[in-house]
Amino acid sequence: MLKRMMAVAALALPMLAGAEEVGQVSTVFKFVGPNDRIVVEAFDDPKVDGVTCYLSRAKTGGIKGGLGLAEDRAEASIACRQVGPINFKGELKDGEEVFKERTSLVFKTMQVVRFLDKKRNTLVYLVYSDRLIEGSPQNAVTAIPIVPWAQ
């Protein structure tokens, strides 16, 4: 019984995967529990030095949201920027996951995947939400041209 309770508690914790919160704004006041809000998080591409992505997404509040039991909305926005010299730490695979965060207790995640547009020498990042049974077509995309970093 204790093992099962610990497993449920572990699922309720957010999977941050290296993201750090930059800021948040409240969108809906809740009498009990945290307010609904929009959160802005930043994460660095684990295979590309010099690239940081900023992700904004809705977080559901209230009692369920405070306990990590609420399902967050699928909408998200992404902006990735070159913040230093770009250096690849290995071979890049098209559609490779660079960030993933759980947006419901079990079945829903928000993911960021990367593509390399070799013809245009550009990194392309796509954010989307998926669900075990039915995903969402809502998505956002951003692109970074690979250029030398001024010293």
mmCIF file with all atom_site columns, all heavy atoms in Angstrom, residues 21-38:
data_model
loop_
_atom_site.group_PDB
_atom_site.id
_atom_site.type_symbol
_atom_site.label_atom_id
_atom_site.label_alt_id
_atom_site.label_comp_id
_atom_site.label_asym_id
_atom_site.label_entity_id
_atom_site.label_seq_id
_atom_site.pdbx_PDB_ins_code
_atom_site.Cartn_x
_atom_site.Cartn_y
_atom_site.Cartn_z
_atom_site.occupancy
_atom_site.B_iso_or_equiv
_atom_site.pdbx_formal_charge
_atom_site.auth_seq_id
_atom_site.auth_comp_id
_atom_site.auth_asym_id
_atom_site.auth_atom_id
_atom_site.pdbx_PDB_model_num
ATOM 1   N N   . GLU A 1 21 ? 11.351  28.367 -14.034 1.00 0.00 ? 21 GLU A N   1
ATOM 2   C CA  . GLU A 1 21 ? 10.288  29.345 -14.202 1.00 0.00 ? 21 GLU A CA  1
ATOM 3   C C   . GLU A 1 21 ? 10.884  30.745 -14.273 1.00 0.00 ? 21 GLU A C   1
ATOM 4   O O   . GLU A 1 21 ? 11.673  31.145 -13.427 1.00 0.00 ? 21 GLU A O   1
ATOM 5   C CB  . GLU A 1 21 ? 9.294   29.256 -13.051 1.00 0.00 ? 21 GLU A CB  1
ATOM 6   C CG  . GLU A 1 21 ? 8.092   30.148 -13.253 1.00 0.00 ? 21 GLU A CG  1
ATOM 7   C CD  . GLU A 1 21 ? 7.042   29.984 -12.180 1.00 0.00 ? 21 GLU A CD  1
ATOM 8   O OE1 . GLU A 1 21 ? 6.605   28.844 -11.943 1.00 0.00 ? 21 GLU A OE1 1
ATOM 9   O OE2 . GLU A 1 21 ? 6.673   31.021 -11.589 1.00 0.00 ? 21 GLU A OE2 1
ATOM 10  N N   . VAL A 1 22 ? 10.498  31.480 -15.307 1.00 0.00 ? 22 VAL A N   1
ATOM 11  C CA  . VAL A 1 22 ? 10.941  32.858 -15.490 1.00 0.00 ? 22 VAL A CA  1
ATOM 12  C C   . VAL A 1 22 ? 9.939   33.806 -14.838 1.00 0.00 ? 22 VAL A C   1
ATOM 13  O O   . VAL A 1 22 ? 10.322  34.796 -14.233 1.00 0.00 ? 22 VAL A O   1
ATOM 14  C CB  . VAL A 1 22 ? 11.099  33.183 -16.988 1.00 0.00 ? 22 VAL A CB  1
ATOM 15  C CG1 . VAL A 1 22 ? 11.413  34.654 -17.214 1.00 0.00 ? 22 VAL A CG1 1
ATOM 16  C CG2 . VAL A 1 22 ? 12.162  32.298 -17.611 1.00 0.00 ? 22 VAL A CG2 1
ATOM 17  N N   . GLY A 1 23 ? 8.652   33.476 -14.957 1.00 0.00 ? 23 GLY A N   1
ATOM 18  C CA  . GLY A 1 23 ? 7.625   34.316 -14.367 1.00 0.00 ? 23 GLY A CA  1
ATOM 19  C C   . GLY A 1 23 ? 6.251   33.730 -14.614 1.00 0.00 ? 23 GLY A C   1
ATOM 20  O O   . GLY A 1 23 ? 6.096   32.725 -15.306 1.00 0.00 ? 23 GLY A O   1
ATOM 21  N N   . GLN A 1 24 ? 5.235   34.360 -14.023 1.00 0.00 ? 24 GLN A N   1
ATOM 22  C CA  . GLN A 1 24 ? 3.864   33.915 -14.206 1.00 0.00 ? 24 GLN A CA  1
ATOM 23  C C   . GLN A 1 24 ? 2.913   35.071 -13.967 1.00 0.00 ? 24 GLN A C   1
ATOM 24  O O   . GLN A 1 24 ? 3.262   36.045 -13.298 1.00 0.00 ? 24 GLN A O   1
ATOM 25  C CB  . GLN A 1 24 ? 3.521   32.751 -13.273 1.00 0.00 ? 24 GLN A CB  1
ATOM 26  C CG  . GLN A 1 24 ? 3.641   33.062 -11.806 1.00 0.00 ? 24 GLN A CG  1
ATOM 27  C CD  . GLN A 1 24 ? 3.227   31.888 -10.955 1.00 0.00 ? 24 GLN A CD  1
ATOM 28  O OE1 . GLN A 1 24 ? 2.050   31.559 -10.888 1.00 0.00 ? 24 GLN A OE1 1
ATOM 29  N NE2 . GLN A 1 24 ? 4.204   31.247 -10.319 1.00 0.00 ? 24 GLN A NE2 1
ATOM 30  N N   . VAL A 1 25 ? 1.719   34.966 -14.566 1.00 0.00 ? 25 VAL A N   1
ATOM 31  C CA  . VAL A 1 25 ? 0.654   35.934 -14.336 1.00 0.00 ? 25 VAL A CA  1
ATOM 32  C C   . VAL A 1 25 ? -0.615  35.161 -14.016 1.00 0.00 ? 25 VAL A C   1
ATOM 33  O O   . VAL A 1 25 ? -0.843  34.072 -14.537 1.00 0.00 ? 25 VAL A O   1
ATOM 34  C CB  . VAL A 1 25 ? 0.421   36.870 -15.544 1.00 0.00 ? 25 VAL A CB  1
ATOM 35  C CG1 . VAL A 1 25 ? 1.623   37.756 -15.779 1.00 0.00 ? 25 VAL A CG1 1
ATOM 36  C CG2 . VAL A 1 25 ? 0.069   36.096 -16.788 1.00 0.00 ? 25 VAL A CG2 1
ATOM 37  N N   . SER A 1 26 ? -1.437  35.732 -13.147 1.00 0.00 ? 26 SER A N   1
ATOM 38  C CA  . SER A 1 26 ? -2.699  35.114 -12.766 1.00 0.00 ? 26 SER A CA  1
ATOM 39  C C   . SER A 1 26 ? -3.749  35.464 -13.811 1.00 0.00 ? 26 SER A C   1
ATOM 40  O O   . SER A 1 26 ? -3.814  36.602 -14.279 1.00 0.00 ? 26 SER A O   1
ATOM 41  C CB  . SER A 1 26 ? -3.123  35.634 -11.394 1.00 0.00 ? 26 SER A CB  1
ATOM 42  O OG  . SER A 1 26 ? -4.356  35.085 -11.015 1.00 0.00 ? 26 SER A OG  1
ATOM 43  N N   . THR A 1 27 ? -4.567  34.486 -14.192 1.00 0.00 ? 27 THR A N   1
ATOM 44  C CA  . THR A 1 27 ? -5.618  34.729 -15.189 1.00 0.00 ? 27 THR A CA  1
ATOM 45  C C   . THR A 1 27 ? -7.019  34.570 -14.620 1.00 0.00 ? 27 THR A C   1
ATOM 46  O O   . THR A 1 27 ? -7.952  35.194 -15.105 1.00 0.00 ? 27 THR A O   1
ATOM 47  C CB  . THR A 1 27 ? -5.468  33.782 -16.395 1.00 0.00 ? 27 THR A CB  1
ATOM 48  O OG1 . THR A 1 27 ? -5.522  32.434 -15.939 1.00 0.00 ? 27 THR A OG1 1
ATOM 49  C CG2 . THR A 1 27 ? -4.159  34.034 -17.119 1.00 0.00 ? 27 THR A CG2 1
ATOM 50  N N   . VAL A 1 28 ? -7.201  33.717 -13.626 1.00 0.00 ? 28 VAL A N   1
ATOM 51  C CA  . VAL A 1 28 ? -8.515  33.490 -13.009 1.00 0.00 ? 28 VAL A CA  1
ATOM 52  C C   . VAL A 1 28 ? -8.325  33.348 -11.503 1.00 0.00 ? 28 VAL A C   1
ATOM 53  O O   . VAL A 1 28 ? -7.542  32.513 -11.058 1.00 0.00 ? 28 VAL A O   1
ATOM 54  C CB  . VAL A 1 28 ? -9.199  32.219 -13.572 1.00 0.00 ? 28 VAL A CB  1
ATOM 55  C CG1 . VAL A 1 28 ? -10.505 31.944 -12.841 1.00 0.00 ? 28 VAL A CG1 1
ATOM 56  C CG2 . VAL A 1 28 ? -9.445  32.334 -15.066 1.00 0.00 ? 28 VAL A CG2 1
ATOM 57  N N   . PHE A 1 29 ? -9.049  34.149 -10.749 1.00 0.00 ? 29 PHE A N   1
ATOM 58  C CA  . PHE A 1 29 ? -8.984  34.068 -9.297  1.00 0.00 ? 29 PHE A CA  1
ATOM 59  C C   . PHE A 1 29 ? -9.739  32.828 -8.815  1.00 0.00 ? 29 PHE A C   1
ATOM 60  O O   . PHE A 1 29 ? -10.836 32.543 -9.282  1.00 0.00 ? 29 PHE A O   1
ATOM 61  C CB  . PHE A 1 29 ? -9.603  35.328 -8.668  1.00 0.00 ? 29 PHE A CB  1
ATOM 62  C CG  . PHE A 1 29 ? -9.711  35.248 -7.176  1.00 0.00 ? 29 PHE A CG  1
ATOM 63  C CD1 . PHE A 1 29 ? -8.591  35.392 -6.374  1.00 0.00 ? 29 PHE A CD1 1
ATOM 64  C CD2 . PHE A 1 29 ? -10.932 34.993 -6.573  1.00 0.00 ? 29 PHE A CD2 1
ATOM 65  C CE1 . PHE A 1 29 ? -8.685  35.312 -4.995  1.00 0.00 ? 29 PHE A CE1 1
ATOM 66  C CE2 . PHE A 1 29 ? -11.040 34.908 -5.195  1.00 0.00 ? 29 PHE A CE2 1
ATOM 67  C CZ  . PHE A 1 29 ? -9.910  35.071 -4.404  1.00 0.00 ? 29 PHE A CZ  1
ATOM 68  N N   . LYS A 1 30 ? -9.156  32.097 -7.882  1.00 0.00 ? 30 LYS A N   1
ATOM 69  C CA  . LYS A 1 30 ? -9.804  30.941 -7.249  1.00 0.00 ? 30 LYS A CA  1
ATOM 70  C C   . LYS A 1 30 ? -9.906  31.220 -5.752  1.00 0.00 ? 30 LYS A C   1
ATOM 71  O O   . LYS A 1 30 ? -8.938  31.647 -5.132  1.00 0.00 ? 30 LYS A O   1
ATOM 72  C CB  . LYS A 1 30 ? -8.985  29.659 -7.473  1.00 0.00 ? 30 LYS A CB  1
ATOM 73  C CG  . LYS A 1 30 ? -8.808  29.267 -8.927  1.00 0.00 ? 30 LYS A CG  1
ATOM 74  C CD  . LYS A 1 30 ? -10.083 28.712 -9.482  1.00 0.00 ? 30 LYS A CD  1
ATOM 75  C CE  . LYS A 1 30 ? -9.851  28.204 -10.898 1.00 0.00 ? 30 LYS A CE  1
ATOM 76  N NZ  . LYS A 1 30 ? -11.003 27.557 -11.450 1.00 0.00 ? 30 LYS A NZ  1
ATOM 77  N N   . PHE A 1 31 ? -11.088 30.979 -5.175  1.00 0.00 ? 31 PHE A N   1
ATOM 78  C CA  . PHE A 1 31 ? -11.265 31.182 -3.736  1.00 0.00 ? 31 PHE A CA  1
ATOM 79  C C   . PHE A 1 31 ? -10.443 30.190 -2.924  1.00 0.00 ? 31 PHE A C   1
ATOM 80  O O   . PHE A 1 31 ? -9.920  30.516 -1.874  1.00 0.00 ? 31 PHE A O   1
ATOM 81  C CB  . PHE A 1 31 ? -12.749 31.058 -3.348  1.00 0.00 ? 31 PHE A CB  1
ATOM 82  C CG  . PHE A 1 31 ? -13.544 32.272 -3.704  1.00 0.00 ? 31 PHE A CG  1
ATOM 83  C CD1 . PHE A 1 31 ? -14.422 32.249 -4.767  1.00 0.00 ? 31 PHE A CD1 1
ATOM 84  C CD2 . PHE A 1 31 ? -13.401 33.448 -2.978  1.00 0.00 ? 31 PHE A CD2 1
ATOM 85  C CE1 . PHE A 1 31 ? -15.144 33.369 -5.111  1.00 0.00 ? 31 PHE A CE1 1
ATOM 86  C CE2 . PHE A 1 31 ? -14.127 34.582 -3.306  1.00 0.00 ? 31 PHE A CE2 1
ATOM 87  C CZ  . PHE A 1 31 ? -15.005 34.539 -4.386  1.00 0.00 ? 31 PHE A CZ  1
ATOM 88  N N   . VAL A 1 32 ? -10.337 28.946 -3.441  1.00 0.00 ? 32 VAL A N   1
ATOM 89  C CA  . VAL A 1 32 ? -9.592  27.901 -2.740  1.00 0.00 ? 32 VAL A CA  1
ATOM 90  C C   . VAL A 1 32 ? -8.518  27.365 -3.685  1.00 0.00 ? 32 VAL A C   1
ATOM 91  O O   . VAL A 1 32 ? -8.790  27.015 -4.827  1.00 0.00 ? 32 VAL A O   1
ATOM 92  C CB  . VAL A 1 32 ? -10.531 26.750 -2.302  1.00 0.00 ? 32 VAL A CB  1
ATOM 93  C CG1 . VAL A 1 32 ? -9.744  25.673 -1.584  1.00 0.00 ? 32 VAL A CG1 1
ATOM 94  C CG2 . VAL A 1 32 ? -11.650 27.273 -1.421  1.00 0.00 ? 32 VAL A CG2 1
ATOM 95  N N   . GLY A 1 33 ? -7.306  27.315 -3.212  1.00 0.00 ? 33 GLY A N   1
ATOM 96  C CA  . GLY A 1 33 ? -6.198  26.818 -4.016  1.00 0.00 ? 33 GLY A CA  1
ATOM 97  C C   . GLY A 1 33 ? -5.586  27.929 -4.853  1.00 0.00 ? 33 GLY A C   1
ATOM 98  O O   . GLY A 1 33 ? -6.046  29.073 -4.844  1.00 0.00 ? 33 GLY A O   1
ATOM 99  N N   . PRO A 1 34 ? -4.531  27.592 -5.596  1.00 0.00 ? 34 PRO A N   1
ATOM 100 C CA  . PRO A 1 34 ? -3.867  28.611 -6.419  1.00 0.00 ? 34 PRO A CA  1
ATOM 101 C C   . PRO A 1 34 ? -4.771  29.070 -7.569  1.00 0.00 ? 34 PRO A C   1
ATOM 102 O O   . PRO A 1 34 ? -5.660  28.351 -7.999  1.00 0.00 ? 34 PRO A O   1
ATOM 103 C CB  . PRO A 1 34 ? -2.624  27.891 -6.944  1.00 0.00 ? 34 PRO A CB  1
ATOM 104 C CG  . PRO A 1 34 ? -2.928  26.444 -6.842  1.00 0.00 ? 34 PRO A CG  1
ATOM 105 C CD  . PRO A 1 34 ? -3.890  26.280 -5.703  1.00 0.00 ? 34 PRO A CD  1
ATOM 106 N N   . ASN A 1 35 ? -4.520  30.278 -8.051  1.00 0.00 ? 35 ASN A N   1
ATOM 107 C CA  . ASN A 1 35 ? -5.245  30.816 -9.202  1.00 0.00 ? 35 ASN A CA  1
ATOM 108 C C   . ASN A 1 35 ? -4.821  30.096 -10.475 1.00 0.00 ? 35 ASN A C   1
ATOM 109 O O   . ASN A 1 35 ? -3.706  29.561 -10.559 1.00 0.00 ? 35 ASN A O   1
ATOM 110 C CB  . ASN A 1 35 ? -4.961  32.312 -9.370  1.00 0.00 ? 35 ASN A CB  1
ATOM 111 C CG  . ASN A 1 35 ? -5.537  33.145 -8.257  1.00 0.00 ? 35 ASN A CG  1
ATOM 112 O OD1 . ASN A 1 35 ? -6.431  32.713 -7.536  1.00 0.00 ? 35 ASN A OD1 1
ATOM 113 N ND2 . ASN A 1 35 ? -5.022  34.352 -8.108  1.00 0.00 ? 35 ASN A ND2 1
ATOM 114 N N   . ASP A 1 36 ? -5.688  30.113 -11.494 1.00 0.00 ? 36 ASP A N   1
ATOM 115 C CA  . ASP A 1 36 ? -5.261  29.710 -12.833 1.00 0.00 ? 36 ASP A CA  1
ATOM 116 C C   . ASP A 1 36 ? -4.235  30.743 -13.278 1.00 0.00 ? 36 ASP A C   1
ATOM 117 O O   . ASP A 1 36 ? -4.334  31.930 -12.926 1.00 0.00 ? 36 ASP A O   1
ATOM 118 C CB  . ASP A 1 36 ? -6.429  29.716 -13.813 1.00 0.00 ? 36 ASP A CB  1
ATOM 119 C CG  . ASP A 1 36 ? -7.428  28.587 -13.572 1.00 0.00 ? 36 ASP A CG  1
ATOM 120 O OD1 . ASP A 1 36 ? -7.183  27.733 -12.703 1.00 0.00 ? 36 ASP A OD1 1
ATOM 121 O OD2 . ASP A 1 36 ? -8.465  28.576 -14.259 1.00 0.00 ? 36 ASP A OD2 1
ATOM 122 N N   . ARG A 1 37 ? -3.247  30.331 -14.064 1.00 0.00 ? 37 ARG A N   1
ATOM 123 C CA  . ARG A 1 37 ? -2.201  31.265 -14.443 1.00 0.00 ? 37 ARG A CA  1
ATOM 124 C C   . ARG A 1 37 ? -1.532  30.864 -15.752 1.00 0.00 ? 37 ARG A C   1
ATOM 125 O O   . ARG A 1 37 ? -1.724  29.758 -16.241 1.00 0.00 ? 37 ARG A O   1
ATOM 126 C CB  . ARG A 1 37 ? -1.162  31.373 -13.335 1.00 0.00 ? 37 ARG A CB  1
ATOM 127 C CG  . ARG A 1 37 ? -0.496  30.064 -12.988 1.00 0.00 ? 37 ARG A CG  1
ATOM 128 C CD  . ARG A 1 37 ? 0.137   30.119 -11.602 1.00 0.00 ? 37 ARG A CD  1
ATOM 129 N NE  . ARG A 1 37 ? 0.902   28.941 -11.289 1.00 0.00 ? 37 ARG A NE  1
ATOM 130 C CZ  . ARG A 1 37 ? 0.402   27.764 -10.922 1.00 0.00 ? 37 ARG A CZ  1
ATOM 131 N NH1 . ARG A 1 37 ? -0.895  27.598 -10.840 1.00 0.00 ? 37 ARG A NH1 1
ATOM 132 N NH2 . ARG A 1 37 ? 1.178   26.746 -10.654 1.00 0.00 ? 37 ARG A NH2 1
ATOM 133 N N   . ILE A 1 38 ? -0.762  31.765 -16.278 1.00 0.00 ? 38 ILE A N   1
ATOM 134 C CA  . ILE A 1 38 ? 0.115   31.487 -17.413 1.00 0.00 ? 38 ILE A CA  1
ATOM 135 C C   . ILE A 1 38 ? 1.537   31.522 -16.866 1.00 0.00 ? 38 ILE A C   1
ATOM 136 O O   . ILE A 1 38 ? 1.928   32.481 -16.198 1.00 0.00 ? 38 ILE A O   1
ATOM 137 C CB  . ILE A 1 38 ? -0.049  32.515 -18.539 1.00 0.00 ? 38 ILE A CB  1
ATOM 138 C CG1 . ILE A 1 38 ? -1.479  32.456 -19.094 1.00 0.00 ? 38 ILE A CG1 1
ATOM 139 C CG2 . ILE A 1 38 ? 0.972   32.262 -19.654 1.00 0.00 ? 38 ILE A CG2 1
ATOM 140 C CD1 . ILE A 1 38 ? -1.802  33.554 -20.078 1.00 0.00 ? 38 ILE A CD1 1
#
